[in-house]
């Protein structure tokens, strides 16, 4: 079945470039140039991936992403932004974006990110549809529901970004196993490029701040000095 990719981008040149690349990957592109129009098209259904510009007329990308995540189901979101500050990236991820690309970007990088998102979605869907892998994981005060993609600590819901959830689920599904940053990039992000290891550190720090009673002395996601990280055994 052909995947349908919704591209919400108001720059005609960039929008056409992304549309052509999506088409070259054998997917069906749907290109719109306004945030409100894009959200309406998304709500019609049949979308497998959203490529979303941050700065849009009608409704900005953060608001569109927030609305997408407030609805039922899960569709990956790749955010495009002309801004490169950490705050812009963090805001996009907090609103539920799975990944981001900073303009200008190469066609090869765009293609790699699209393929990585679909590999991760396919892997998670396969895992969540088979036996024990779909079961909730409960460790001490932490509970992870992979089907609803919900996490709670002491029965209180914890709001995680899509990537933070995937990272936590990967750890918790392999308790005690030590992962290097490179291995985590491959498994959770779906790509591994030199210089991206800091992304793992940032996400683990943010995850700890949300689930640990004392992030400075983590109980769940532990550091193995000189090697990487593991989930408590």
């Amino acid at each position: 079945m052909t995947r349908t990719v919704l591209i919400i981008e108001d720059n005609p040149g960039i929008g056409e470039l992304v549309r052509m690349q999506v088409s070259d990957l054998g997917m069906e592109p749907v290109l719109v140039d306004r945030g409100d129009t894009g959200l309406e098209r998304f709500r019609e259904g049949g979308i497998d991936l959203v490529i979303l510009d941050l700065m849009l007329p009608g409704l900005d990308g953060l608001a569109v992403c927030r609305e997408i995540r407030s609805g039922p189901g899960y569709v990956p979101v790749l955010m495009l932004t002309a801004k490169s500050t950490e705050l812009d990236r963090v805001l996009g991820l907090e609103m539920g974006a799975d990944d981001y690309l900073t303009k200008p970007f190469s066609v090869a990088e765009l293609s790699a990110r699209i393929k990585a998102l679909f590999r991760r979605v396919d892997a998670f869907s396969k895992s969540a549809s088979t036996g024990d892998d779909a079961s909730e994981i409960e460790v001490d005060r932490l509970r992870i529901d992979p089907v609803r993609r919900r996490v709670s600590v002491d029965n209180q819901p914890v709001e995680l970004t899509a990537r933070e959830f995937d990272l936590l689920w990967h750890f918790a599904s392999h308790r005690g196993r030590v992962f290097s940053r490179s291995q985590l990039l491959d498994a959770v992000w779906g790509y591994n490029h030199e210089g991206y290891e800091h992304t793992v550190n940032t996400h683990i720090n943010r995850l700890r701040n949300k689930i640990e009673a004392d992030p400075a002395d983590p109980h769940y996601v532990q550091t193995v000095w000189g090697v990487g990280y593991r989930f408590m055994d």
Side-chain angles (χ1 to χ4, degrees):
M1 182 178 296
T2 302
R3 302 184 194 265
T4 300
V5 178
L6 175 60
I7 306 159
I8 311 177
E9 168 62 66
D10 65 327
N11 182 300
I14 295 177
E16 180 60 18
L17 175 68
V18 176
R19 187 197 67 77
M20 291 176 61
Q21 184 59 25
V22 167
S23 182
D24 287 346
L25 290 173
M27 303 171 189
E28 181 67 30
V30 177
L31 176 61
V32 297
D33 60 2
R34 292 178 57 89
D36 47 0
T37 306
L39 185 58
E40 289 175 6
R41 175 60 187 87
F42 175 82
R43 287 172 171 166
E44 293 175 5
I47 300 300
D48 299 297
L49 168 68
V50 178
I51 299 178
L52 177 63
D53 188 25
L54 181 63
M55 305 299 294
L56 291 165
L59 199 64
D60 67 47
L62 293 178
V64 173
C65 190
R66 183 171 56 244
E67 289 298 316
I68 288 174
R69 285 291 173 258
S70 68
Y74 171 75
V75 174
V77 175
L78 174 61
M79 185 163 280
L80 307 179
T81 173
K83 300 181 179 181
S84 58
T85 66
E86 180 67 20
L87 177 60
D88 292 312
R89 296 196 295 269
V90 167
L91 284 174
L93 295 171
E94 281 294 336
M95 289 300 102
D98 295 84
D99 205 351
Y100 66 88
L101 269 177
T102 302
K103 302 174 185 176
F105 51 82
S106 69
V107 170
E109 181 76 353
L110 173 64
S111 176
R113 298 298 181 90
I114 293 172
K115 291 177 181 178
L117 282 171
F118 280 127
R119 282 199 304 270
R120 185 169 56 81
V121 169
D122 290 344
F124 186 87
S125 297
K126 181 179 179 180
S127 172
S129 66
T130 58
D132 294 337
D133 287 340
S135 300
E136 291 187 5
I137 293 178
E138 189 167 0
V139 183
D140 297 341
R141 302 173 300 110
L142 175 68
R143 176 177 293 176
I144 310 169
D145 180 348
V147 176
R148 298 176 180 83
R149 296 179 67 87
R150 294 176 182 171
V151 173
S152 64
V153 176
D154 289 332
N155 294 319
Q156 297 299 311
V158 177
E159 295 297 326
L160 299 183
T161 67
R163 190 73 66 173
E164 289 165 356
F165 180 90
D166 289 344
L167 183 62
L168 177 60
W169 177 252
H170 183 72
F171 273 128
S173 299
H174 302 86
R175 292 182 61 177
R177 179 177 171 182
V178 180
F179 293 96
S180 68
R181 294 172 181 83
S182 178
Q183 289 172 327
L184 290 170
L185 279 171
D186 278 334
V188 179
W189 277 258
Y191 57 84
N192 186 356
H193 300 296
E194 184 178 356
Y196 278 76
E197 284 81 1
H198 68 279
T199 300
V200 175
N201 297 356
T202 299
H203 277 76
I204 287 178
N205 289 337
R206 289 162 54 78
L207 179 60
R208 284 172 170 168
N209 286 332
K210 294 180 179 182
I211 67 171
E212 302 282 3
D214 181 4
D217 185 20
H219 176 64
Y220 298 110
V221 182
Q222 303 169 350
T223 299
V224 181
W225 296 106
V227 183
Y229 302 93
R230 71 178 175 193
F231 194 83
M232 62 171 293
D233 195 352

